[in-house]
Amino acid sequence: MPADNAALELVDVEIYDIEQDLCFLVTPNGGQFYISAPTSEFRAWADRCDGTRTRAELLIRMAPEYAEVVDVLQHDGCLRPARAAHDAERAARVARTTVLLTGLPELTAPIAHALSTTGYARVGPAPEDLSGVDVRDTVLVAAFAHPAYTELARIDDLCSGLGLRWLPLRRERGRAVLGPAITPGTTADFADVLHRRLAAAHDPRVVEAMRAAPEAGSPRLGARDARWISAQLGMDLERWITGEAATGEVELDLRELSRLSRTVLPMPTRPRPVERGDAEADLLVDDQVGVVTAVQELAPQPGMPDRLRVCAVDVADMRRVADWPNDRQAFGTSWSEFDTARRSAVGEAVERYCGSRLPQDRLRYGSHARLRRDGVPTLDPRRLHLYSERQYRTAGFPFAPLTTDTECAWVEGRSWTTGEPVWVPAFLVAHGEHDPVAYSDPLVAGVACGVSEEHAVTSGLEEVIERDTTMLWWANAARLPRLAESDRIRELVADSLDAYDITLIPLDNEFDVPVIAAAVLDRATRWLTIGFATRPSVQEAAEKALAEGFTLHHTCHYLDDEKALADGRAELPHLDNLKPHRADRRYLDSYRADFGDVRDLLCQQQIHLDPRAGERVAPWVLDLPTRSWDGLPALAGRHLAAYRERVEARGFEVISVDLTTCDVEAAGLSTAHTIVPGLVSNFPAGMPMWGDGRISRAGVQLGWRTEPLTEEGFNVFPLPHA
């Protein structure tokens, strides 16, 4: 942001009169803005933005709204310090910069020629020893006509040690690849480039082969191509040095003479300070260097609603470059447009990505009692809803009880209820070899992504409430009335009612928050799925749950495809928890009668490929009396404060652990794991969290039971949801 005393100039904008009091303004950066002001007044004001007046002078005697106009135009970059001063500063930066060249003479010679008239202090070959270089005003350009991964990695290490800015150029896949512009310790570096490409690669062997490719095997670069590449490099180098724009990775097509820009984000395994980006820039999606590497719309299965848009995204395999067991796929849905489904899928991918690993340097070790004595605010493990004494005593039970005196790893979180920091057991948040013994799998509920920390925590708290409500209902097998079909719901699914039966069930909960279960039964296959959602209104929750219920049928078709399942096992290790494919779909015969081998949520959906499974749960899912929509709970809006008020009024505490990695922050997003001690997370049927008795108490408190159930009386039949 320019200094307050800087004279401002409006540069290269187009102004169009739309109405008497409405202008439309287009900027060189692609910004498009409606300006609510008399057109003659705004044009006169724009003429005054001629580089002779400061911000304060431009706002004298103008309506208060003009301050916002100034902010927007400055942020866009078209209202900036006067061009003369700006150009003088740019020229000064160039004049004090030395550019050193190394690499292939076929490229370094034309690059030197292209830069010779730009006004740099000096352009010349890099010396063998760079240790004496003034790194403040020197940039190294390294240019090769082959992938040169080994050479560029060596230069990366050298420049990192010296703190020397540098710009790589290489040739691969028939393209010249320029950048990224690297400032050691601040931007992504070439090690990030290599790791991103390896993690994102469709076939990692190709990346490894390119890493080992010798220069001798590369085709020669023509003089005309070298000149064009040099011109592109010269333009990007000058813009970087003058602070006009940072150069990401730019793919130069030598045939079409076109450019494709990519943003290489820093690897979270090597974190460094980043500037928070703009979520609208969509920096996470790229087939070569992205966290999300592919986006596709799933065509509806026969009979599904045409209005439902479903997006599937592929995620880079971080296991290739680090101890990072992230999920490789995510899904998103929308009843309106594909872009909304796409954003939802990317958000889900990000939350799983961030939630797959906790850096070791964030952890501290000890017992609750010892850390408390040391003055560390820690969550009392007795407040958690994990496993019962009976479960711990069962032979072969895989988890040990966490007491106030047992030791584990802890990670710092934040109590939104008290406003104070609080350390929580790390195993609740992420998988990892943190502890000498296992206490539990991570809590499934509560991980969410948002455009801010509060947004992420709001979504996470919605999920915590939803899953607690769901598991109380399911374990008690409570028979609740279904909602009558509304005009809006009928509009959404009208074209699917011949193929699917739909049941919307509002789930009672002590927080008086709308939670909806949407059961979707395929009449032909008899497959049953249930989607769930918590939202401020019943209608919003019903639409979200219904979208999830239909989307889960895509998973059913995947699980029923023997070839697709076999191909997926190589990429998705958790599929090994599934039983072998059955053409007869009688999966109830494959799993144990007590469902003790249902150790993954996906196993639950596999069981419901068996038509007999839907028949087992029909008494409390499908064959229900009807109620109206009147009298159901609602919240004033989708705000964290609204949910917190309901949860904290019942005596519960809202805690979150920030999981945002540096690359996700640079992309303008946040991820958090929200925990409400004492509530029940969802769990696979083979590892139920019977915990401190909340499930049995709730059955009575919510009027579902006259007497609390014992553990032996809980419903353990798998929930058709994953």
Side-chain angles (χ1 to χ4, degrees):
M1 187 67 69
D4 290 341
N5 60 354
L8 300 178
E9 182 179 10
L10 192 60
V11 180
D12 298 333
V13 298
E14 304 170 35
I15 301 174
Y16 300 95
D17 299 347
I18 302 297
E19 297 175 1
Q20 184 176 355
D21 294 322
L22 184 67
C23 298
F24 184 67
L25 186 143
V26 182
T27 75
N29 295 329
Q32 300 182 26
F33 307 102
Y34 288 96
I35 309 294
S36 296
T39 55
S40 58
E41 174 190 287
F42 182 74
R43 285 183 175 277
W45 180 83
D47 289 340
R48 294 174 61 220
C49 300
D50 58 0
T52 63
R53 296 171 178 84
T54 66
R55 173 191 173 93
E57 290 168 338
L58 288 173
L59 296 177
I60 292 174
R61 293 188 296 277
M62 302 305 299
E65 291 78 14
Y66 272 81
E68 182 180 353
V69 172
V70 170
D71 290 339
V72 169
L73 297 181
Q74 284 185 310
H75 183 268
D76 183 79
C78 61
L79 184 60
R80 61 193 189 194
R83 190 188 300 269
H86 179 70
D87 290 348
E89 172 59 23
R90 291 178 76 253
R93 290 190 183 187
V94 170
R96 61 176 179 259
T97 299
T98 293
V99 181
L100 301 179
L101 305 174
T102 188
L104 181 72
E106 290 178 26
L107 278 168
T108 57
I111 290 172
H113 179 75
L115 301 181
S116 62
T117 60
T118 310
Y120 291 107
R122 186 170 75 85
V123 177
E128 288 290 330
D129 183 4
L130 291 170
S131 61
V133 166
D134 180 1
V135 297
R136 293 172 301 177
D137 293 318
T138 303
V139 173
L140 176 70
V141 174
F144 297 89
H146 67 293
Y149 287 174
T150 300
E151 296 93 328
L152 293 172
R154 179 183 58 78
I155 293 171
D156 196 39
D157 287 340
L158 177 63
C159 290
S160 176
L162 296 172
L164 176 63
R165 293 176 296 167
W166 74 289
L167 182 65
L169 172 67
R170 66 189 190 276
R171 189 182 181 197
E172 62 180 57
R173 303 174 190 260
R175 305 285 195 273
V177 183
L178 172 63
I182 298 169
T183 301
T186 301
T187 66
D189 54 27
F190 199 73
D192 293 320
V193 172
L194 293 180
H195 284 161
R196 288 290 180 201
R197 286 188 170 271
L198 185 58
H202 177 71
D203 185 347
R205 297 173 299 176
V206 174
V207 178
E208 295 294 354
M210 293 172 67
R211 186 195 298 266
E215 180 181 350
S218 301
R220 287 186 59 81
L221 188 66
R224 183 176 61 179
D225 290 338
R227 288 195 300 272
W228 184 71
I229 292 170
S230 299
Q232 298 298 308
L233 183 147
M235 176 181 64
D236 285 6
L237 177 64
E238 183 176 350
R239 296 182 71 199
W240 175 39
I241 287 173
T242 59
E244 185 174 334
T247 298
E249 189 176 84
V250 183
E251 187 177 289
L252 303 174
D253 187 325
L254 302 179
R255 291 190 176 183
E256 300 294 331
L257 300 183
S258 62
R259 295 165 54 97
L260 175 63
S261 297
R262 294 189 167 92
T263 297
V264 179
L265 296 169
M267 287 292 294
T269 49
R270 301 164 54 240
R272 69 218 73 170
V274 296
E275 182 176 336
R276 188 174 183 86
D278 180 0
E280 295 297 320
D282 204 21
L283 300 180
L284 294 167
V285 181
D286 188 89
D287 64 335
Q288 298 292 320
V289 296
V291 172
V292 173
T293 59
V295 176
Q296 73 172 115
E297 183 169 7
L298 297 184
Q301 296 290 340
M304 279 192 179
D306 282 340
R307 288 191 58 165
L308 183 64
R309 320 294 292 198
V310 181
C311 176
V313 298
D314 294 337
V315 185
D317 189 349
M318 295 292 285
R319 289 167 297 184
R320 296 174 184 167
V321 296
D323 178 21
W324 195 303
N326 65 300
D327 286 354
R328 298 292 315 287
Q329 273 197 323
F331 299 88
T333 60
S334 170
W335 288 108
S336 56
E337 55 187 18
F338 177 69
D339 187 59
T340 303
R342 179 184 183 277
R343 290 175 182 273
S344 173
V346 171
E348 182 175 324
V350 169
E351 66 192 44
R352 295 184 180 189
Y353 173 85
C354 293
S356 298
R357 179 180 179 269
L358 273 176
Q360 190 69 26
D361 60 8
R362 290 190 61 184
L363 306 180
R364 66 189 309 162
Y365 293 84
S367 67
H368 166 75
R370 194 186 83 191
L371 292 176
R372 278 287 189 181
R373 287 194 301 269
D374 292 342
V376 179
T378 51
L379 175 64
D380 191 329
R382 291 170 294 190
R383 295 173 56 196
L384 297 173
H385 182 100
L386 296 176
Y387 307 102
S388 68
E389 291 299 324
R390 173 180 170 273
Q391 288 176 291
Y392 288 127
R393 292 194 302 267
T394 302
F397 190 72
F399 299 122
L402 181 69
T403 70
T404 57
D405 294 316
T406 53
E407 296 197 347
C408 70
W410 302 77
V411 61
E412 187 175 16
R414 167 188 180 183
S415 171
W416 292 80
T417 303
T418 68
E420 300 294 328
V422 58
W423 290 72
V424 302
F427 67 80
L428 298 177
V429 177
H431 285 285
E433 303 297 325
H434 310 311
D435 303 313
V437 297
Y439 297 106
S440 170
D441 287 329
L443 300 181
V444 177
V447 186
C449 173
V451 295
S452 67
E453 181 185 18
E454 184 166 328
H455 183 197
V457 174
T458 302
S459 297
L461 184 54
E462 284 179 330
E463 187 174 79
V464 169
I465 295 170
E466 169 206 311
R467 302 299 168 84
D468 175 77
T469 301
T470 296
M471 301 317 294
L472 300 186
W473 167 63
W474 193 257
N476 280 279
R479 193 166 188 266
L480 306 177
R482 64 185 291 175
L483 287 172
E485 193 174 282
S486 69
D487 291 342
R488 169 61 177 168
I489 295 298
R490 191 179 301 110
E491 175 190 346
L492 294 177
V493 301
D495 57 344
S496 67
L497 294 179
D498 289 339
Y500 291 89
D501 287 327
I502 294 164
T503 305
L504 297 177
I505 310 169
L507 302 183
D508 301 336
N509 62 85
E510 67 181 283
F511 308 113
D512 207 26
V513 168
V515 180
I516 297 294
V520 180
L521 178 68
D522 186 322
R523 291 178 178 174
T525 62
R526 309 306 296 173
W527 293 343
L528 174 69
T529 63
I530 307 181
F532 299 95
T534 298
R535 286 294 186 272
S537 74
V538 174
Q539 182 65 50
E540 291 174 282
E543 292 185 21
K544 174 70 167 60
L546 193 56
E548 184 177 84
F550 273 110
T551 302
L552 289 171
H553 277 272
H554 284 282
T555 307
C556 290
H557 283 276
Y558 173 76
L559 295 175
D560 194 47
D561 186 327
E562 184 175 13
K563 183 179 185 306
L565 199 58
D567 292 343
R569 287 180 189 273
E571 289 289 324
L572 306 170
H574 70 282
L575 294 182
D576 288 339
N577 292 304
L578 297 171
K579 299 299 184 183
H581 180 269
R582 294 186 67 124
D584 62 3
R585 298 175 178 163
R586 295 178 65 85
Y587 287 101
L588 284 172
D589 298 339
S590 296
Y591 285 89
R592 285 167 41 178
D594 65 356
F595 304 109
D597 49 351
V598 180
R599 297 299 304 274
D600 187 277
L601 293 175
L602 208 55
C603 297
Q604 302 185 156
Q605 271 200 265
Q606 188 181 47
I607 285 173
H608 278 271
L609 297 181
D610 190 327
R612 296 172 296 172
E615 297 170 5
R616 290 275 295 272
V617 304
W620 72 92
V621 176
L622 300 177
D623 305 325
L624 304 173
T626 302
R627 63 156 296 167
S628 76
W629 293 64
D630 297 334
L632 291 171
L635 277 74
R638 196 180 181 197
H639 309 297
L640 180 57
Y643 287 110
R644 278 184 51 204
E645 181 181 6
R646 301 289 176 94
V647 171
E648 292 168 358
R650 301 295 299 173
F652 293 96
E653 182 180 11
V654 178
I655 297 170
S656 71
V657 177
D658 184 9
L659 299 178
T660 311
T661 53
C662 63
D663 50 347
V664 168
E665 182 178 5
L669 297 174
S670 297
T671 303
H673 194 143
T674 302
I675 299 169
V676 179
L679 297 193
V680 184
S681 178
N682 57 320
F683 47 75
M687 196 50 60
M689 290 180 163
W690 296 146
D692 64 354
R694 172 171 172 76
I695 293 176
S696 58
R697 292 194 303 272
V700 176
Q701 292 168 352
L702 294 170
W704 301 337
R705 302 277 178 182
T706 56
E707 296 290 335
L709 291 174
T710 63
E711 286 183 29
E712 293 84 352
F714 289 143
N715 169 46
V716 296
F717 197 88
L719 176 69
H721 178 273

